Amino acid sequence: MRSLLTVSAAAALLFLTGTAPAVADDGADRTFTIEDPRITESSGLAASRIHPGVYWTHNDSDDGPYVYAVDSRTGKTVATVTMEGVGEPRDVEAISLGPDGDLYVGDIGDNLDGTWDHVWIYRFPEPERLADTTVRATQYDVTYADGARNAEALMVHPVTGRVYIASKNEEGGGLYEGPQRLTAGGGNVFRRVGEVPWVTDGAFSPDGRELVLRSYFSARRYAFEDGRLGADHAVSAPLQRQSESVTYTADGSAMMFGSEGERSEVARVEVEGGGGSESSPRGGGGGTSSGDGGDGDGSAKTTATGAAVAGAVVLLALFAAGRRKK
């Protein structure tokens, strides 16, 4: 019950402190809806570096060894990649693009909270041509130095190429650092190097100097240097049905937040000082100035309060449904 009350309070706070929705244009890297009826559990996002405006995603579980390229201009799938040589995926939760141009797919979920003695990472080069294709992926076995655990966030550092995983726990998880190089056919032990909140996904900024971690109702940006977390602050995050994914745009001007569900939305949130458009961030969370368009009208505040209460109830119900599904 305590965790549910915490979630409800967080939802209400986000509604109370939220800013106005952004108005997106029809260009690439704007808020879009995933139109593919096959993609009902989008659990990870990675912005393509060679195909502007294209985002790689995948389903959570019970789908198969598939990765999809979705064009943000239309929301339509422009390529389906089938991975060979990886066995049967179990609980795919994350995807990240490395500096080598390879996509790293994290089959790292463990809904039984640490009962599997190992998880997997799959790796293959990002296709140069957008078309349905089959690739032979490399599979890596992953274990944790302090025992098995559930995780939904995998991030490849865009400069060093080192892989990091953030574990998922309602009371707080850990940031785990992989070996300097992953080894196929052998064990890859990830060691805890930092403490993190409840995390459903994460992403490095394109220069590798910041790491954003999101949960169901919030997101935080951390300074990242020498493989360790530094100062952090809250950033705006959209309120979504089941908040599962985040990535930076290829140019680093914004973050893209995704959710599970049929025709799920991927919402753009501008990065402060990132050179994006001047439209306001979507959603709630901290990190926005008090002078962000408010008019000081008392009746508006009363309406916002009522919306917060109603919104918190709705979000709590949706969240609980998602947890039962999980």
Side-chain angles (χ1 to χ4, degrees):
M1 175 62 72
R2 183 169 64 85
S3 63
L4 287 177
L5 290 173
T6 301
V7 169
S8 180
L13 178 61
L14 286 174
F15 267 89
L16 284 167
T17 60
T19 57
V23 178
D25 60 28
D26 294 328
D29 299 318
R30 292 293 171 179
T31 296
F32 67 95
T33 298
I34 296 176
E35 300 289 350
D36 193 331
R38 297 173 297 175
I39 305 174
T40 58
E41 294 185 330
S42 176
S43 294
L45 286 172
S48 173
R49 293 202 193 104
I50 59 178
H51 305 293
V54 168
Y55 290 84
W56 296 96
T57 190
H58 53 82
N59 281 313
D60 184 340
S61 56
D62 299 325
D63 182 34
Y66 307 117
V67 177
Y68 307 93
V70 180
D71 191 335
S72 61
R73 300 169 188 84
T74 64
K76 298 185 181 301
T77 298
V78 291
T80 300
V81 175
T82 303
M83 295 181 290
E84 282 188 342
V86 299
E88 184 175 347
R90 191 162 49 191
D91 191 356
V92 181
E93 293 287 356
I95 187 168
S96 185
L97 187 61
D100 51 10
D102 286 1
L103 285 164
Y104 293 69
V105 181
D107 192 354
I108 56 175
D110 186 345
N111 290 328
L112 300 178
D113 290 325
T115 58
W116 295 330
D117 59 2
H118 71 282
V119 291
W120 300 302
I121 295 173
Y122 313 128
R123 176 181 177 182
F124 62 90
E126 181 180 15
E128 295 183 359
R129 190 171 70 90
L130 292 174
D132 292 352
T133 186
T134 299
V135 301
R136 178 156 291 275
T138 302
Q139 178 173 302
Y140 302 99
D141 290 349
V142 169
T143 59
Y144 301 95
D146 55 358
R149 58 204 58 249
N150 186 26
E152 293 190 3
L154 177 147
M155 301 76 63
V156 182
H157 195 276
V159 177
T160 67
R162 201 155 198 161
V163 181
Y164 294 83
I165 293 174
S167 64
K168 179 185 179 185
N169 189 292
E170 292 184 35
E171 303 300 326
L175 180 68
Y176 289 82
E177 181 182 73
Q180 187 171 4
R181 285 195 176 90
L182 297 178
T183 303
N188 296 278
V189 180
F190 279 62
R191 304 184 184 281
R192 196 178 187 115
V193 296
E195 304 304 310
V196 298
W198 194 10
V199 174
T200 60
D201 200 15
F204 283 108
S205 59
D207 60 10
R209 296 173 62 185
E210 289 193 316
L211 173 65
V212 60
L213 297 174
R214 82 166 303 179
S215 66
Y216 288 113
F217 299 113
S218 65
R220 303 194 72 82
R221 285 168 67 188
Y222 295 79
F224 195 84
E225 186 175 1
D226 297 328
R228 298 298 180 266
L229 297 171
D232 67 289
H233 63 276
V235 297
S236 295
L239 294 169
Q240 297 174 307
R241 177 178 178 181
Q242 189 166 333
S243 308
E244 289 283 340
S245 57
V246 65
T247 189
Y248 279 82
T249 56
D251 64 3
S253 65
M255 292 171 283
M256 306 293 284
F257 289 85
S259 173
E260 288 191 3
E262 295 180 2
R263 299 192 78 251
S264 59
E265 182 185 69
V266 178
R268 177 186 175 102
V269 172
E270 304 296 331
V271 171
E272 183 179 354
S277 72
E278 298 178 357
S279 57
S280 301
R282 298 178 59 90
T288 57
S289 66
S290 59
D292 201 20
D295 59 8
D297 190 317
S299 62
K301 291 180 180 178
T302 302
T303 301
T305 302
V309 175
V313 173
V314 172
L315 281 170
L316 182 57
L318 291 172
F319 174 80
R323 293 278 289 174
R324 285 196 298 271
K325 174 186 171 189
K326 290 281 188 181

